[in-house]
């Protein structure tokens, strides 16, 4: 019996205590910042490993390779006129949430508050806010970055157990823009779903991969899916906010 008591005591010492028990019954759950499954904060620089010739330079009008535009989307894209966009103050049409992560440049990610993750992008001097705990986008005027609802997704197993996972972001209430700088359009009906994952490579570098699904019932015949990579930087060196360009 004494042996069983010792074993039972040891079992209780090593058995993980449920989170709700750690904070006490009725205690407040951790904030999204405290519960972060991955650390996205800091400075990141884009590494162009996909669609280099469409991202590093502005393609000619009518170049829609790898896009999923339908006939109406191509018709609208074929009417692209950067001078007209400039005259109308629409230089930021390719800097909206459906495309801004594809542009070469740097990101600065920080917590604006315990429930809001802020992403500043130096290309076009854009700011995205990821709202945790929000059910859907509130009403209001559509914007280039729309309204983004965020949640941590958990993946069981691995070295950190349930803390592994990624960030899922769904963005709506978007102002119409371009999914490529040559006028390939997306409409105000677009929904952008993103997954943010962080990985460490053997040399110690940290990489951020953003998988993006753009769905537009007006101009696309199927979802447009891309992956965009970023490398973690040690500091703000090279941070260079620039205005939007229509060309």
């Amino acid at each position: 019996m004494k042996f069983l008591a010792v074993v039972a005591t040891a079992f209780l010492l090593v058995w993980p205590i449920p989170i709700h028990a750690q904070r006490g019954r009725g205690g407040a759950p951790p904030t999204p910042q405290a519960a972060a499954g991955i650390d996205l904060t800091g400075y990141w620089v884009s590494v162009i490993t996909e669609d280099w010739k469409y991202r590093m330079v502005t393609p000619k009008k009518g170049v829609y390779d790898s896009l999923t535009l339908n006939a109406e989307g191509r018709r609208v894209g074929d009417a692209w006129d950067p001078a007209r966009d400039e005259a109308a103050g629409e230089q930021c049409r390719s800097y909206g949430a459906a495309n801004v992560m594809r542009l070469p440049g740097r990101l600065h990610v920080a917590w604006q508050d315990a429930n809001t993750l802020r992403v500043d992008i130096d290309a076009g001097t854009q700011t995205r806010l990821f709202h945790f705990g929000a059910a859907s986008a509130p009403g209001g005027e559509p914007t280039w970055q729309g309204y983004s609802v965020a949640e941590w997704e958990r993946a069981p197993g691995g070295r950190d157990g349930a803390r592994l996972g990624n960030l899922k972001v769904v963005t709506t209430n978007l102002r119409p823009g371009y999914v490529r700088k040559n006028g390939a359009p997306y409409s105000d009906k677009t929904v952008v779903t993103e997954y943010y994952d962080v990985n460490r490579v053997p040399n110690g570098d940290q990489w951020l991969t953003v998988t993006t699904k753009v769905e537009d019932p007006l101009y696309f015949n199927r979802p447009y899916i891309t992956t965009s990579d970023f490398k973690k930087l040690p500091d703000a060196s090279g941070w260079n906010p620039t205005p939007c360009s229509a060309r």
Side-chain angles (χ1 to χ4, degrees):
M1 294 297 293
K2 184 180 295 186
F3 172 77
L4 292 176
V6 171
V7 171
T9 301
F11 178 79
L12 290 173
L13 288 174
V14 300
W15 189 257
I17 301 172
I19 292 175
H20 66 81
Q22 294 179 33
R23 64 174 185 253
R25 292 188 177 183
T31 65
Q33 181 179 8
I38 52 177
D39 182 13
L40 297 169
T41 61
Y43 289 89
W44 305 82
V45 64
S46 57
V47 181
I48 310 299
T49 58
E50 180 183 83
D51 291 341
W52 191 96
K53 62 182 178 179
Y54 307 132
R55 297 168 63 188
M56 294 301 296
V57 297
T58 301
K60 294 180 179 179
K61 181 190 295 187
V63 176
Y64 305 130
D65 303 41
S66 79
L67 297 180
T68 60
L69 296 179
N70 58 23
E72 179 63 11
R74 289 171 178 267
R75 185 191 69 79
V76 173
D78 288 344
W80 173 59
D81 183 348
R84 183 178 61 202
D85 286 344
E86 291 169 345
E90 298 272 295
Q91 300 95 320
C92 291
R93 289 182 72 91
S94 63
Y95 294 79
N99 186 60
V100 71
M101 306 302 282
R102 303 287 286 164
L103 299 177
R106 285 169 164 76
L107 313 176
H108 179 218
V109 184
W111 286 94
Q112 178 163 290
D113 56 51
N115 297 296
T116 310
L117 193 64
R118 176 180 175 128
V119 181
D120 288 305
I121 304 156
D122 66 356
T125 317
Q126 299 295 305
T127 296
R128 303 184 66 189
L129 297 177
F130 298 163
H131 305 274
F132 289 81
S136 60
E141 192 72 19
T143 63
W144 296 126
Q145 304 310 326
Y147 189 86
S148 299
V149 176
E151 63 176 312
W152 294 115
E153 291 198 322
R154 302 299 185 184
R159 290 179 301 172
D160 297 319
R163 292 191 65 80
L164 285 176
N166 58 30
L167 174 66
K168 178 182 178 181
V169 179
V170 179
T171 302
T172 55
N173 201 36
L174 284 164
R175 189 172 171 179
Y178 301 148
V179 77
R180 184 173 287 171
K181 288 203 73 173
N182 67 343
Y186 63 87
S187 75
D188 60 355
K189 303 295 190 297
T190 295
V191 176
V192 178
T193 304
E194 299 166 289
Y195 297 89
Y196 290 70
D197 294 276
V198 173
N199 296 285
R200 190 179 294 275
V201 296
N203 70 355
D205 289 344
Q206 279 188 285
W207 285 69
L208 166 64
T209 298
V210 183
T211 302
T212 304
K213 178 172 66 173
V214 182
E215 298 174 281
D216 182 2
L218 189 59
Y219 294 141
F220 292 3
N221 54 33
R222 63 183 183 278
Y224 173 49
I225 300 174
T226 59
T227 56
S228 305
D229 293 310
F230 300 84
K231 181 181 175 182
K232 186 76 175 283
L233 297 171
D235 51 42
S237 299
W239 179 253
N240 182 33
T242 55
C244 297
S245 171
R247 301 175 186 269

